[in-house]
Amino acid sequence: MLTRDALHGLATAPPGGLVISVYARTDPRDPANTSSTPAWHIALRDGLSTLSDRLEASDDRDQRLAFRSLRGRIEEELVDMAPAERARSVALFVDIEGGRSQHFSLQLPLRGDAVVGDNRPFVSPLVDIADRGAPTGVILASGELVRLLQIEQSEVTEPENSTLELTVGDWRRFGGAAGGSPDRGRQIISQKERYEARVDAQRQHLFENAMTQTAGRLQDLGWERIVLVCEREVASRFRELLPAELSERVIAESDLNLLGEEPHAIADALEPLIEDAWLRRTTALVGLARERAEAGGAAVLGAEETFSALVEGRVAHLVLDPAHDFSDVADMIHPAIGGPAEMIGERAVETAVAAGAQVTALAGADSQDLRDAGAIVALLKY
C-alpha cells in the first residue's frame, strides 16, 4: 500500500536526471481491459512512444540512448506482473540514469493512464489516490452487534477485538401463555418488562463501549473519515452517542445489511458510497474556499494568489484540477515554483505535500466553482 512517508519522499525528491513515471489503470473490472490487449497496455505503448519522440528530438544524447535501452524493459515489467501484483492500478518510477525502478500496486483505481518524463517523480496521481483512499473507519451496527473495520485505498482490514456483542447475563425471556391466576400473568409481564429493560441497558452499554473503542481507533489507526452502516431504527440512537470528534468525521450512512459479510465484500459494497461522499465533501470544500475568499478570509482563488500562498507556506488545503493547463499563467507564477510551464500544476502539488498541506485533485467538470476560480483554490492556515 502507498504510505504517506513514501508519497512525501517521492514529492520531495531533489531534481536530477530523467525519471520516467508510468501510471497504468489495470483494473480488471474495467470493460476496456477485457480484450486481448487491454486498454492500459495500449495507453502504455502510446505514452512510451510519445516520450520517445520527445527525447529523440532533444539535444540530450545520453537520455536518448538510455531510454532506448529501457523502453522495452518498462513495458515488459508491467506486462510480466502477476494479476495480483497489477491489482487495480500500478505506479512505476524508473530512474533513467541508474535504471533503478520502484513500483506501487494500488487497489483503488487511478483516474487514467499516463507516462511522464521529468527530472523528478510525477506524483499528482498518487496524491489523488491517497486523498480519495484516506483511512476510513467503518462502524457496522445492529441491535445486538457492533463491528469495526478500516478501509484505506480500497484495502480492508479488521482490527483485533473489533467486534462487540450484546450480552444479557443470566436473564432469560419468559414465554408462553399467562394462564392460571391473574397474579401469575402480572408476574410474567413484569419479568418481560424487566428483561426488555435489561436488554435495553445492555444495548446502551454496547454502543457506549463501541464509541469508546472507536475514539481510541482514531488515534491508533488515523481514521480521517467514518462510514456508519446500520439499521435505520438503530442509526438515530447510535448517532446520539457519537462524540463531536467522531460525528464531524462521518461522511456517509447506509442501511445496507453487511454486518455478517466478509471484509472484502463490505469494501466492495461501500466503495461507491465512499467515492460519492468524497466528491460531495470536496465540492463543498471548493465552495467554502470561494465564500471565505470573497469575504476576505483565509482562502485564495486562482493560480497567481494560490501559488504565492504555496511559496509562502500558508496553504492548509490545496484543491486543483491536475489536468488543467496552467501554462498560460506561468509568467505570473512565483519563480520558486519552477517550470517547465506544462508542469506547473505538478509543482504546486509537490510544494503543498512538502509543506505538509492536504491536497485534493478534483476534475473541473465536477465543480463550477473550481472552473470559475481558474482550476485551483486553497484554504489557508492564516
Side-chain angles (χ1 to χ4, degrees), residues 269-320:
L270 294 181
E271 184 173 303
L273 187 72
I274 293 173
E275 184 74 12
D276 288 346
W278 172 88
L279 182 58
R280 288 195 304 273
R281 286 168 69 92
T282 300
T283 52
L285 190 69
V286 177
L288 176 62
R290 177 183 57 78
E291 292 172 5
R292 285 187 182 178
E294 291 175 352
V300 288
L301 310 176
E304 187 172 6
E305 291 191 22
T306 302
F307 279 93
S308 294
L310 280 167
V311 171
E312 294 164 1
R314 295 189 295 123
V315 171
H317 198 143
L318 174 70
V319 184
L320 80 164

Side-chain angles (χ1 to χ4, degrees), residues 182-247:
D183 288 341
R184 172 62 176 162
R186 285 193 292 270
Q187 289 171 5
I188 292 176
I189 293 171
S190 176
Q191 185 71 1
K192 287 182 177 180
E193 289 174 346
R194 283 183 293 179
Y195 176 88
E196 297 294 347
R198 175 61 181 266
V199 170
D200 198 54
Q202 289 291 85
R203 183 173 292 122
Q204 182 76 11
H205 177 69
L206 171 73
F207 288 167
E208 290 173 353
N209 191 16
M211 289 303 92
T212 300
Q213 288 207 24
T214 304
R217 299 291 184 188
L218 286 174
Q219 302 300 324
D220 298 340
L221 301 175
W223 288 355
E224 299 177 17
R225 311 177 298 190
I226 293 174
V227 175
L228 182 59
V229 183
C230 60
E231 303 162 359
R232 291 188 182 277
E233 51 208 36
V234 173
S236 58
R237 186 172 179 185
F238 204 91
R239 282 301 297 263
E240 289 175 0
L241 293 170
L242 284 171
E245 66 172 333
L246 297 183
S247 184

Side-chain angles (χ1 to χ4, degrees), residues 29-45:
R29 308 176 196 184
D30 190 335
N33 288 331
T34 58
S35 62
S36 57
T37 304
W40 67 262
H41 194 178
I42 296 171
L44 172 63
R45 288 175 175 172

